[in-house]
Amino acid sequence: MKIGVIGFGRAGRAVSSVLLESKKTNLQWVLRRSHVLEHRSVPEFLGISSEEPGLIYSISEFSAENLLQRYPVDAIVDFSSEDGIQYYGEEAAQRGITIVSAISQYSDESKALLQRLSESTRVIFSPNITLGINFLLITAKILKNIAPYTDIEIIEEHFKQKAETSGTAKVLCNALDLPESAIKMVRAGGIIGVHEIIFGFPYQTVRLKHESISREAFGNGIMFALENLPEQKSGLYTMEDLMLPYFAMSIGPEKLTIQKKNPWWKFW
Amino acid sequence: MKIGVIGFGRAGRAVSSVLLESKKTNLQWVLRRSHVLEHRSVPEFLGISSEEPGLIYSISEFSAENLLQRYPVDAIVDFSSEDGIQYYGEEAAQRGITIVSAISQYSDESKALLQRLSESTRVIFSPNITLGINFLLITAKILKNIAPYTDIEIIEEHFKQKAETSGTAKVLCNALDLPESAIKMVRAGGIIGVHEIIFGFPYQTVRLKHESISREAFGNGIMFALENLPEQKSGLYTMEDLMLPYFAMSIGPEKLTIQKKNPWWKFW
Amino acid sequence: MKIGVIGFGRAGRAVSSVLLESKKTNLQWVLRRSHVLEHRSVPEFLGISSEEPGLIYSISEFSAENLLQRYPVDAIVDFSSEDGIQYYGEEAAQRGITIVSAISQYSDESKALLQRLSESTRVIFSPNITLGINFLLITAKILKNIAPYTDIEIIEEHFKQKAETSGTAKVLCNALDLPESAIKMVRAGGIIGVHEIIFGFPYQTVRLKHESISREAFGNGIMFALENLPEQKSGLYTMEDLMLPYFAMSIGPEKLTIQKKNPWWKFW
Amino acid sequence: MKIGVIGFGRAGRAVSSVLLESKKTNLQWVLRRSHVLEHRSVPEFLGISSEEPGLIYSISEFSAENLLQRYPVDAIVDFSSEDGIQYYGEEAAQRGITIVSAISQYSDESKALLQRLSESTRVIFSPNITLGINFLLITAKILKNIAPYTDIEIIEEHFKQKAETSGTAKVLCNALDLPESAIKMVRAGGIIGVHEIIFGFPYQTVRLKHESISREAFGNGIMFALENLPEQKSGLYTMEDLMLPYFAMSIGPEKLTIQKKNPWWKFW
């Protein structure tokens, strides 16, 4: 699968390195606003030995039309900024190129654009594209359904300089219908990012915890998205949408396949 | 729902107290081997104010036929020992009484009996009947499907006197197709019971953790089983089977209902 | 060492059972306000086989003078309520009986009384008499001295019904000169009590964590106090005071004894 | 304080950046075996704006005598390999330059050399030079003294590729007189490094935990060593030796200063 990356900040670099190392994807190019590093090779810059082209271009060198004409791709991975989509969106959608966007914040206008583009191509949008967080989001919702009487609290820990509440914690809080006071913020030293959802039962506690080790965590999420593209050729999807089939998978049409595969007496 | 409890050790007492406190269940009696406490009232013994009959009988006072004739129940909850089922099994199945068994170890013979009984009544069997552990078991299997490349390790912590590896840890290990060396045993002081499943991704870690506070944890599991009895009138079920529909619930017939309920742009 | 216990609530019972099981202490009696259980045997009531007298008396049966005359003790352990000290304080001090008080809150008047009593006997006072918490208190202060540039946060987790901030967390916060906003309260289900002090360094994190399993934790603290009574025959002491010598112990007069015992090249 | 660094692998770079950013130290040079990066500026290479000289030299360019003559320093920080000390040791000791070595493994011969050098200069040697780990080492030993009846277990978590037991865990284990079976190894994904010492009491648990975020953690340890150089001009020291005075500090000559500073009634 031929991939183009938009944005070459810390997350963009991390993701490029995962794409280069995967045999399933082929990094065609990286596009960025700045002229710094123009025409340098991404594999060389990142110190990864790879035959993939992966040159760095500046956004001012091409129109999106020219870029996608000369260097066609199957999917664009966007780690740039809110207005990146203005540059390549229409052109990509027209060519049926899958769009994977990890931008944190979109204006209502950009959201409307994404929605429109999703009528002609697959658009996958997730501000936190790590596998772990999205997995926690779904399982926490299921556990709340199973045990609605539990008390749920969220601890999020980050480095001292991060002043505001983590966006991911807010999403978790929102998805679980909790008041924002359920989020407990810890700010200390250089903690990269910890999210813990605590379910308090009367006589037991369940803790679902995610720890970020580095920004490269985005890479696994992007790979998961690319490997699990929805079958429909168009539509707007979140990471959750791509992950839910794995939750359904365990359940067969009539009976429960987990049980079939593992007869209970062998299981316990 | 009228309930009879077999066994009045620590777990049996804990569960009786949860049953007495629930408005959905009515504790008819407790049956035990010993004559100690014979004909005493369970609510009084446990210090719970309740109108439910709940008298303690000795197994030598009645045949199962007499017992179930004079004091009929809808479900029997079994926290006794492996051969309890020999006493009441046939009689209960014949009357269509639901059997909920939390016995840790059954011989092959007893397993065969359970299987046979399940042809005429609902038999729910789970050696670890806590909600949290069974939830972890399912979600861990799903996460392994989503990210088969992760390294999975299990830490189980218990009090010093518990010499052998926790049975629950073995079940988790088995269900996740891990070698037994994946289980790390910690034995220290009076720790009641902690199970943690660690998923190591290259740049992130997911930890699913269950902490027991006291044996009453079984109570919530029993209540969950009783509230989620399978619709079929007969069959053999695990806690997992009763829990899986909650995982399926989130997924509608054509599209994904989670997405419908929470449009993505509000969600993130 | 002959011990009398004042108060027979949950903490008082827990401590009595630890005292009965220790060979170093001999439980003479338990005194309580209520007439319930009067003249019953504590070992029998708690189901512990022991030759120690340990009868339960009501406070209305004796004056403190009569009690201490007929049933003399070396130390009184007080888990009653704020005004317990009014009953036995003067009489105990006069006889040089050591007083170990674990009352949570004293009025200024009672504090003044304690202070006065401490002129004629040893008074050990600690509202949270668990070993672990007091150990954390001291080590956290030392670590703050070693690395004053770290960010310190405190997480305290308790059961849902506990509305107010934990008193222990406030003590930790106060001792570390932190603003009260450094305390993050988690309230969920039946969590008995967790206190975690997080030290955030730029590139590492140190976590000092205490988990209560049950109220019997007080027992070990009391035993520690009784085994480490200050040599001076009078004075007012905290658990910290009794524990500090263990911190000093490691440091010899000229050189460091830890180093002597473990030559560095064997050590690493 | 003028500093020279030997070794420019990942740890050497991390430490150089901390030294450059500190106002108390002035990085004179970095010496390495390889010719790569020869005569490049460390601040420039690491992207840190600094006026400090900090040039990179190759070991083949100078004898130690020439190097220390032309570019004198107060202390040498050694992150090279076991035989680095052969190159600069004698020369540095003769000039009274403080040696801070973080080499993991020394042969007996090198240990004997270190010992000899320590007769004429200060030698600080610690294979794990992070503050947190050394702090844990001391506090764990103290807690074992306070509560010798506790069960102690060590969990160490590292990335999948790390086959052998962590050296730091072995040191902790050794210092606490535990059998090596007390160490529980978790190997999963990209975990950088977690060490947790668990103290199991009958009714409570104390956990002392250290998490590495990145190799720069060494930097704070080196800075601590440089800021707390022993007053004696010669001698062999560990990080523990430099840290112990902070433990002693709290204890005054006659009474306990902690108590003085914080009268107990204000404290609790």
Side-chain angles (χ1 to χ4, degrees), chain B residues 219-256:
Chain B
N220 289 110
I222 294 289
M223 282 308 304
F224 179 81
L226 294 173
E227 286 175 1
N228 290 277
L229 289 177
E231 289 183 13
Q232 291 85 339
K233 284 293 178 198
S234 66
L236 186 53
Y237 304 91
T238 63
M239 280 289 277
E240 257 192 298
D241 298 331
L242 309 195
M243 212 174 258
L244 272 172
Y246 286 88
F247 285 75
M249 204 175 73
S250 320
I251 300 144
E254 301 159 53
K255 285 199 74 187
L256 305 165

Side-chain angles (χ1 to χ4, degrees), chain B residues 151 153 155 157 160 184-191 194 198 200-202 205 207, chain D residues 151 153 155 157 160 184-191 194 198 200-202 205 207:
Chain B
D151 309 308
E153 302 259 47
I155 300 176
E157 304 182 355
K160 185 66 177 177
K184 316 297 168 178
M185 262 174 72
V186 171
R187 290 293 172 266
I191 296 175
V194 178
I198 303 174
F201 290 75
T205 310
R207 296 172 190 265
Chain D
D151 309 308
E153 302 260 46
I155 300 177
E157 305 181 354
K160 186 66 178 177
K184 317 296 167 176
M185 262 175 72
V186 171
R187 290 293 172 266
I191 296 174
V194 178
I198 302 173
F201 291 74
T205 311
R207 296 172 189 267

Side-chain angles (χ1 to χ4, degrees), chain A residues 18-265:
Chain A
V18 174
L19 293 172
L20 283 169
E21 275 162 0
S22 164
K23 287 176 182 163
K24 296 179 184 159
T25 56
N26 193 308
L27 182 67
Q28 298 298 300
W29 41 259
V30 167
L31 195 76
R32 64 185 320 209
R33 171 155 299 144
S34 154
H35 286 276
V36 178
L37 300 174
E38 209 166 358
H39 292 198
R40 294 244 338 239
S41 147
V42 179
E44 193 208 73
F45 178 79
L46 296 175
I48 295 168
S49 77
S50 162
E51 301 295 307
E52 304 179 18
L55 283 198
I56 300 171
Y57 300 113
S58 163
I59 208 167
S60 60
E61 191 170 350
F62 297 105
S63 68
E65 189 184 352
N66 283 351
L67 173 71
L68 297 174
Q69 182 76 38
R70 283 173 63 177
Y71 307 113
V73 291
D74 300 305
I76 289 175
V77 173
D78 184 357
F79 274 97
S80 63
S81 59
E82 201 209 304
D83 47 3
I85 191 73
Q86 311 288 348
Y87 169 80
Y88 69 85
E90 299 281 10
E91 192 63 32
Q94 219 170 297
R95 292 168 187 264
I97 297 172
T98 297
I99 296 170
V100 180
S101 163
I103 302 307
S104 328
Q105 288 285 5
Y106 273 126
S107 66
D108 287 343
E109 196 189 353
S110 295
K111 283 176 188 173
L113 172 57
L114 274 189
Q115 189 91 55
R116 210 170 62 241
L117 299 176
S118 76
E119 285 161 22
S120 38
T121 196
R122 284 181 288 228
V123 177
I124 292 148
F125 168 68
S126 178
N128 187 324
I129 208 139
T130 55
L131 272 197
I133 286 293
N134 284 282
F135 173 76
L136 250 57
L137 182 68
I138 302 177
T139 51
K141 289 175 77 168
I142 293 172
L143 185 50
K144 190 177 176 177
N145 276 340
I146 292 175
Y149 53 84
T150 49
D151 309 307
I152 311 177
E153 302 260 45
I154 297 169
I155 300 177
E156 60 102 339
E157 303 181 356
H158 284 89
F159 46 95
K160 185 66 176 177
Q161 291 73 25
K162 186 173 177 71
E164 77 289 4
T165 305
S166 122
T168 296
K170 282 185 188 166
V171 169
L172 292 170
C173 187
N174 199 14
L176 295 167
D177 284 325
L178 303 176
E180 199 152 324
S181 62
I183 303 177
K184 317 296 167 177
M185 264 174 71
V186 171
R187 291 292 172 268
I191 297 174
I192 293 177
V194 177
H195 290 89
E196 179 175 4
I197 313 175
I198 303 173
F199 286 81
F201 291 74
Y203 306 110
Q204 60 191 306
T205 311
V206 170
R207 296 172 188 266
L208 309 176
K209 191 168 180 179
H210 180 266
E211 296 168 337
S212 293
I213 296 172
S214 75
R215 289 182 180 250
E216 274 86 352
F218 292 124
N220 289 108
I222 293 288
M223 281 308 303
F224 178 82
L226 293 173
E227 286 175 3
N228 290 278
L229 288 177
E231 289 183 13
Q232 291 85 338
K233 283 293 179 198
S234 66
L236 185 53
Y237 303 90
T238 63
M239 280 289 276
E240 257 192 299
D241 298 331
L242 308 194
M243 210 173 260
L244 272 173
Y246 286 87
F247 284 74
M249 202 174 75
S250 320
I251 300 146
E254 300 159 53
K255 283 200 77 189
L256 304 166
T257 55
I258 281 186
Q259 192 188 1
K260 272 190 203 149
K261 267 188 274 170
N262 301 289
W264 64 271
W265 54 82

